[in-house]
Amino acid sequence: DVKVTQSSRYLVKRTGEKVFLECVQDMDHENMFWYRQDPGLGLRLIYFSYDVKMKEKGDIPEGYSVSREKKERFSLILESASTNQTSMYLCASSLIAGGNQNIQYFGAGTRLSVL
Amino acid sequence: QQPVQSPQAVILREGEDAVINCSSSKALYSVHWYRQKHGEAPVFLMILLKGGEQKGHDKISASFNEKKQQSSLYLTASQLSYSGTYFCGTGPGSNYKLTFGKGTLLTVNP
């Protein structure tokens, strides 16, 4: 069965802290994504990666960075957390091509509160 | 730019039908539909590729009109288990990135 695992379900951090959100997939997918989900705004793409060490900015990359050193792991980094980064963060992965046409598989999410 | 979903919310009684629309200002290559139940991860429902095809899955089906740059999700004879937020994700081409709409909250009551 397909699995995307996010390391924490809930996280509370202080303003100015460096925060790492981790995501691991076990499907050998090339693509991995980080989204932010806020009420009334839907899913907004922060960053994505289409290969190891490769990354591209999404629609709202400001204040975030990412790291992909291994194919199965994609990390989202908040260099200096701010209160407006309090949100639900969702990780997803997909194959580049093939019969499943880039279906995205999501993790359960990490709810981050920045105080 | 995010695709526009309508309605934003809909409340049904069990057994009623609903239609959720997804419109884009950009040319579309594909439309994905996902459902997210409260507190859970979004789950893939179906994908439609350009060509105006219609797909079905149990009592949930969808159409894709590439000329109008829109897709519609049809839920027939709704069940309590259909409750959740439905998102459409649009893809502009061979790029595997999707842009999601803001979602439609569907509530099915007994």
Side-chain angles (χ1 to χ4, degrees):
Chain A
D1 210 12
V2 164
K3 201 165 185 184
V4 178
T5 303
Q6 294 185 229
S7 55
S8 303
R9 199 65 205 268
Y10 300 95
L11 215 50
V12 180
K13 296 291 180 182
R14 296 236 175 252
T15 303
E17 277 193 77
K18 189 168 186 176
V19 181
F20 292 86
L21 302 183
E22 307 285 345
C23 176
V24 177
Q25 51 96 1
D26 65 356
M27 299 163 284
D28 203 33
H29 284 174
E30 292 89 351
N31 302 323
M32 296 189 75
F33 308 84
W34 274 107
Y35 293 92
R36 172 175 171 159
Q37 184 174 25
D38 299 290
L41 298 180
L43 298 166
R44 293 181 293 165
L45 183 65
I46 304 171
Y47 265 98
F48 65 103
S49 168
Y50 50 90
D51 201 352
V52 175
K53 297 190 188 293
M54 306 302 286
K55 60 187 178 185
E56 283 193 28
K57 291 180 180 179
D59 300 315
I60 51 165
E62 296 78 20
Y64 303 94
S65 62
V66 290
S67 172
R68 193 164 180 205
E69 297 296 319
K70 293 185 177 181
K71 191 175 185 180
E72 67 271 17
R73 187 179 295 271
F74 192 34
S75 303
L76 180 69
I77 304 158
L78 287 69
E79 294 291 342
S80 177
S82 63
T83 54
N84 62 14
Q85 292 178 310
T86 291
S87 186
M88 171 68 87
Y89 291 88
L90 290 168
C91 174
S93 71
S94 74
L95 280 172
I96 279 186
N100 70 2
Q101 296 292 339
N102 301 319
I103 295 169
Q104 294 195 13
Y105 296 89
F106 286 84
T110 295
R111 185 165 294 282
L112 173 68
S113 296
V114 183
L115 307 177
Chain B
Q1 193 169 2
Q2 284 182 288
V4 177
Q5 287 187 235
S6 63
Q8 290 183 324
V10 59
I11 300 175
L12 301 173
R13 289 212 176 271
E14 228 176 337
E16 291 182 335
D17 302 340
V19 180
I20 300 171
N21 299 303
C22 175
S23 298
S24 174
S25 57
K26 296 183 178 181
L28 298 178
Y29 174 80
S30 66
V31 179
H32 296 218
W33 285 96
Y34 291 77
R35 176 172 63 204
Q36 183 180 30
K37 299 196 175 185
H38 184 68
E40 299 181 10
V43 173
F44 171 79
L45 289 176
M46 64 187 74
I47 179 174
L48 299 102
L49 303 177
K50 68 176 182 179
E53 65 177 290
Q54 184 148 354
K55 276 201 168 181
H57 176 68
D58 196 10
K59 291 178 181 167
I60 299 176
S61 61
S63 63
F64 178 21
N65 187 324
E66 67 181 275
K67 284 186 180 178
K68 292 185 177 180
Q69 294 166 189
Q70 67 183 34
S71 175
S72 296
L73 186 71
Y74 307 93
L75 299 103
T76 307
S78 59
Q79 306 168 16
L80 296 176
S81 62
Y82 287 2
S83 291
T85 300
Y86 289 77
F87 293 100
C88 68
T90 56
S94 58
N95 187 323
Y96 29 79
K97 187 181 82 165
L98 294 177
T99 303
F100 286 93
K102 294 183 178 180
T104 295
L105 177 61
L106 179 78
T107 304
V108 181
N109 292 322

